Amino acid sequence: GENVEQHPSTLSVQEGDSAVIKCTYSDSASNYFPWYKQELGKRPQLIIDIRSNVGEKKDQRIAVTLNKTAKHFSLHITETQPEDSAVYFCAASYSGWYGQNFVFGPGTRLSVLP
Amino acid sequence: EAQVTQNPRYLITVTGKKLTVTCSQNMNHEYMSWYRQDPGLGLRQIYYSMNVEVTDKGDVPEGYKVSRKEKRNFPLILESPSPNQTSLYFCASSLRDRGPGANVLTFGAGSRLTVL
């Protein structure tokens, strides 16, 4: 089955700096790669996603890149702000007619220091 | 308001006492799923459902049951809970088809379960 690794497990950056979180997946059939942000005591919420037919996607300060050949994808946050502090989860998913499973990485705790 | 509702939010129970965690969504989503969240392990999928009467195992289904008799409801059943099922549980739903919003999981607020 699918296996998703995520690095680093913790990341501290100064406010205004960039943060990069990297994930690798094992199943080449996976075709959907979302990123979720979970603030302390809250539910996970989608911040950005990318499908396998796209190499890069950007939404304001957040971008995701996908390398299907190497089976890895990354989250880039620029100009970090204290409210970006949270745990971030990547996931790999295969969406097909017979099912859709989501496999999440173990998470990265991002701390943005003022 | 579009939402996924889970109940109970907090529960302390004892080993072997059957319990059900309910999950309901009002977005007419076809896909519903259950996850457990444990420190250092992220979110692990327990079961998912592609539509009414269609369910399948995720990565950690042992000790759990589900049913999908109605589109809006997807209860998680622990027939004989054990301490290793102490965890934070999330229900989530999404649209299945391609297009805006497809596959985007909307999570419930979570249910913290403690099994003594």
Side-chain angles (χ1 to χ4, degrees):
Chain A
E2 177 65 275
N3 181 54
V4 176
E5 296 185 356
Q6 183 172 348
H7 299 280
S9 57
T10 60
L11 179 61
S12 293
V13 300
Q14 290 295 135
E15 182 177 357
D17 286 350
S18 296
V20 180
I21 303 170
K22 298 182 179 181
C23 289
T24 60
Y25 62 99
S26 60
D27 190 347
S28 57
S30 291
N31 56 11
Y32 175 63
F33 306 92
W35 285 88
Y36 284 82
K37 174 184 180 183
Q38 186 178 29
E39 297 175 354
L40 190 62
K42 300 286 182 65
R43 71 195 78 187
Q45 291 192 302
L46 181 82
I47 55 171
I48 196 167
D49 58 7
I50 192 167
R51 299 188 187 272
S52 58
N53 58 348
V54 176
E56 184 174 357
K57 184 177 179 180
K58 189 174 181 180
D59 183 4
Q60 299 183 334
R61 297 186 297 108
I62 296 173
V64 58
T65 58
L66 171 65
N67 183 327
K68 287 188 297 181
T69 303
K71 296 197 191 72
H72 66 70
F73 56 112
S74 300
L75 177 70
H76 305 253
I77 305 175
T78 58
E79 301 172 17
T80 53
Q81 301 167 4
E83 52 264 38
D84 293 329
S85 295
V87 178
Y88 292 80
F89 294 99
C90 63
S93 173
Y94 173 76
S95 177
W97 66 269
Y98 62 85
Q100 178 175 14
N101 73 318
F102 284 83
V103 178
F104 286 81
T108 295
R109 184 174 299 279
L110 173 65
S111 299
V112 179
L113 309 174
Chain B
E1 180 189 355
Q3 59 185 354
V4 177
T5 303
Q6 295 179 227
N7 281 296
R9 294 288 316 280
Y10 303 91
L11 179 63
I12 300 175
T13 189
V14 295
T15 299
K17 186 176 181 181
K18 180 180 178 180
L19 68 92
T20 300
V21 187
T22 63
C23 175
S24 180
Q25 52 93 5
N26 62 0
M27 297 166 282
N28 203 34
H29 285 170
E30 299 92 352
Y31 179 86
M32 297 186 74
S33 55
W34 276 101
Y35 303 84
R36 59 177 290 174
Q37 184 173 23
D38 302 290
L41 297 177
L43 294 150
R44 293 181 292 168
Q45 191 171 48
I46 303 170
Y47 269 95
Y48 65 91
S49 170
M50 299 297 285
N51 216 322
V52 176
E53 301 293 0
V54 181
T55 63
D56 209 346
K57 297 177 181 178
D59 291 327
V60 288
E62 295 79 18
Y64 304 95
K65 285 177 56 177
V66 294
S67 68
R68 187 91 181 271
K69 292 181 169 47
E70 303 168 285
K71 195 172 186 178
R72 63 182 296 130
N73 295 323
F74 191 45
L76 179 69
I77 304 159
L78 286 73
E79 292 271 3
S80 182
S82 62
N84 64 11
Q85 292 179 297
T86 293
S87 188
L88 177 60
Y89 291 86
F90 285 100
C91 179
S93 70
S94 75
L95 291 169
R96 273 188 59 185
D97 296 327
R98 296 215 175 242
N103 310 130
V104 175
L105 292 173
T106 298
F107 283 86
S111 297
R112 186 168 292 281
L113 171 65
T114 301
V115 183
L116 302 175

